[in-house]
Structures are given as structure tokens and as C-alpha cells.
Amino acid sequence: METSLGNKTFTIDLNTNPSLHNINRSLVPHEMLDEELIRTREENKKLATMLKTLCENYNSLQTHLIELLQKYSTHEDYNSKLLFSRKRKSEDLCCVNNSDINFEEASPKRPREITTNISTVWVKTTPSDQTSVVKDGYNWRKYGQKVTRDNPSPRAYYKCSFAPTCQVKKKVQRSAKDPSVLAATYEGEHNHPYPSQAKLAVPLVNQGVTTDPRSLNKFMKDINTNSIQQHLVEQMASSLTKNPSFAATVAAAISGDFFCNMI
DNA sequence: CGCTTTTGACCAGCGC
DNA sequence: GCGCTGGTCAAAAGCG
């Protein structure tokens, strides 16, 4: 299998050997079992190597996908209107620039807020999913909800609850254009380690997330068609189904305690 | 019982 | 100054 995205080429070798399944029927059952056990172990090793390669290539593709999505950001300007529509000019500016901002003046009645690292992610959800939850691995406590003027869907306000001193806030609202898309705006920087690293990497891409705040129009096209994701899935599926021994190999691997060998 | 969510009230910024 | 709007607070309700 060969997938080419831009100037990067990824190769996944799924060349399992069908002949491994041809059991020498002239042997007595005991020898047969020994021979098959050895074969199974060899296949397990092969599959482990294949899976490792697959994961590495997937990670490379994922990295490349994020790079592509970030490239869109230099040409698009969308979400500042959606999430910071008209009030608080200083915050609008903050969002448009998408960079570190320290407010020069604070409200006389409220403690001065230092808002840094504002970023927005867009999450494609299933039409049946009516919740406003963006699973990013952090723990959030909801402290408010508002219906905004330019969007019928309510905007939910969250604070990071993983660490008491963490001041990171998150706003989640469904897109007015496509209700199946959730927009999550993060303000601030977590001052604690990521609570569950394993939960983050794959789901973000699988859900169709861009870390870029100004790339909705182009990214929405990708979301709607799932073009990039679908391309990858189709390539992988095609590669797998073309290999006649794949199903048998997987079955043999599972029955041979494949996952124990992986660990 | 403690934590989270809900929701109405309050406050501040902005435009007119 | 007034009204509109977004953001936050805090008491009540819900939940495990």
C-alpha cells in the first residue's frame, strides 16, 4: 500500500505469506500441532511488526494532516465572528490575532484577566449526538450557559477542574451553519500535566478537529466529505481486502494470543 | 455527602 | 443614559 499526500509518501507493507497456512498433512497430529504453533508464533511476530509499522505510518499521516490543516489558517478568517461576535473589542482583536495578549487595562470591579493562547477547535459530531461535549482529555466543570444572538444553539462555559490553580476556560457552541459541528474555544494555558495522554491523539483526528481558529470554510468542506479521513480509510481497507490471507492471518493471530505477545 | 450541572440574576462593554 | 449582549456568579437541583 502506498499513500501519497503532498510531498510525503507512506508505505504500508501487508505482505503476509498465504503459504504459511498450508499445513503439511503428511505429518502426524502431534508434529502438526508443534509445527502450527511455531507458524502461529511467527505470524504473531509478523503481525506485531505490521501493526507497529501501521501505527507509525498512521501517526505520520496524522501529523501531516494537522500540518495541512494549519496551512489553511493563513488564508481564512471565520470564527472570530462566530464566537466573539461584536462586543469586547479587545477580545475580538485577541481572537483574530490568535496570539498571546495581555490586556493593558482590567475592569475596575473584576480582577485583571490575563488571557493567553486562545485557540479554537472544530469537532465534527454525529447528527444524533446532541450533547455539547468536546472530549479533549481534560476535566472541565461547566459554570454557565448562554444563548447568543447569532446562534440558536446555547454556548456552554467550562473551567478546567483538573487542577484548582488552572485558569483555563473553554467555550463550546454548535456551529450556526452546521449544527453537527462543535466549536470549542480554549483560553489560557494548562499549568498541569495532561491527565490522560492516551485519550487525546487518535480521537482528535478521528473526530475531525482542526487546531486552527480561522480555517472553518475550507475545513468544513473536508469535514462534510471527510475526504482526508475517508481517503486514508479507503486506502487502508483496500490494501487489507486485496490481501487474500489477511482475514485468515488475523483469525490465526487472535486465536494465537496475539495481544499477549504484543505486550 | 460531595461534586457537577442548571439556570436566573448580575455586571461590564458597547452602540445609539 | 439606556438597552442589548456576552460573561460570570451562585444558589438550587441532580446525580452517583
Side-chain angles (χ1 to χ4, degrees):
Chain A
M1 167 184 174
E2 189 170 286
T3 299
S4 180
L5 286 172
N7 57 350
K8 295 189 178 181
T9 301
F10 306 95
T11 303
I12 298 174
D13 181 14
L14 294 175
N15 183 30
T16 56
N17 187 358
S19 66
L20 288 174
H21 300 280
N22 297 330
I23 299 169
N24 186 348
R25 303 194 184 279
S26 64
L27 298 175
V28 295
H30 177 72
E31 291 169 329
M32 270 179 67
L33 287 173
D34 283 346
E35 188 179 330
E36 187 160 3
L37 185 62
I38 292 169
R39 275 199 214 100
T40 304
R41 283 178 179 164
E42 287 173 355
E43 286 175 6
N44 288 344
K45 284 181 183 176
K46 267 193 172 182
L47 282 168
T49 308
M50 285 166 55
L51 188 60
K52 189 182 174 186
T53 307
L54 195 64
C55 288
E56 286 172 358
N57 287 333
Y58 177 81
N59 287 334
S60 299
L61 286 168
Q62 179 182 320
T63 305
H64 187 62
L65 174 61
I66 291 171
E67 285 173 7
L68 286 175
L69 292 170
Q70 286 174 345
K71 280 182 184 176
Y72 293 150
S73 67
T74 57
H75 308 296
E76 306 288 341
D77 184 3
Y78 174 83
N79 74 331
S80 59
K81 283 188 178 178
L82 187 65
L83 286 169
F84 297 92
S85 54
R86 79 177 187 87
K87 48 175 317 202
R88 287 172 177 75
K89 284 182 177 176
S90 58
E91 291 186 21
D92 286 349
L93 181 67
C94 179
C95 183
V96 168
N97 289 338
N98 192 31
S99 58
D100 294 358
I101 297 289
N102 291 330
F103 292 130
E104 290 299 322
E105 295 184 20
S107 164
K109 289 189 177 180
R110 294 192 181 190
R112 171 178 172 153
E113 288 185 23
I114 300 175
T115 306
T116 60
N117 292 342
I118 293 181
S119 62
T120 302
V121 299
W122 301 92
V123 181
K124 178 76 173 177
T125 62
T126 58
S128 59
D129 184 9
Q130 294 302 310
T131 61
S132 296
V133 178
V134 176
K135 294 172 185 175
D136 52 16
Y138 289 98
N139 299 329
W140 301 95
R141 189 180 66 83
K142 190 176 184 179
Y143 67 92
Q145 180 169 306
K146 270 286 194 194
V147 176
T148 56
R149 196 175 57 89
D150 52 358
N151 193 331
S153 302
R155 178 183 300 171
Y157 299 89
Y158 297 89
K159 285 177 181 174
C160 181
S161 62
F162 183 75
T165 57
C166 184
Q167 297 298 313
V168 177
K169 294 175 185 175
K170 178 171 81 167
K171 287 180 279 191
V172 179
Q173 188 174 32
R174 292 190 176 274
S175 168
K177 291 184 177 179
D178 185 353
S180 66
V181 175
L182 282 174
T185 301
Y186 296 86
E187 296 180 19
E189 221 172 324
H190 294 280
N191 58 5
H192 54 84
Y194 185 71
S196 63
Q197 202 72 17
K199 291 179 184 175
L200 179 61
V202 172
L204 275 180
V205 169
N206 284 349
Q207 291 177 73
V209 171
T210 173
T211 56
D212 178 73
R214 289 171 289 175
S215 62
L216 183 67
N217 287 342
K218 265 192 170 175
F219 185 60
M220 285 292 288
K221 292 176 187 173
D222 288 339
I223 286 176
N224 289 336
T225 60
N226 283 326
S227 60
I228 296 176
Q229 278 181 251
Q230 202 163 344
H231 176 73
L232 296 176
V233 171
E234 283 172 359
Q235 293 259 2
M236 288 183 180
S238 169
S239 172
L240 296 181
T241 53
K242 279 176 187 172
N243 189 329
S245 66
F246 180 77
T249 306
V250 170
I254 293 172
S255 63
D257 203 9
F258 169 73
F259 290 107
C260 290
N261 289 336
M262 285 290 291
I263 303 169

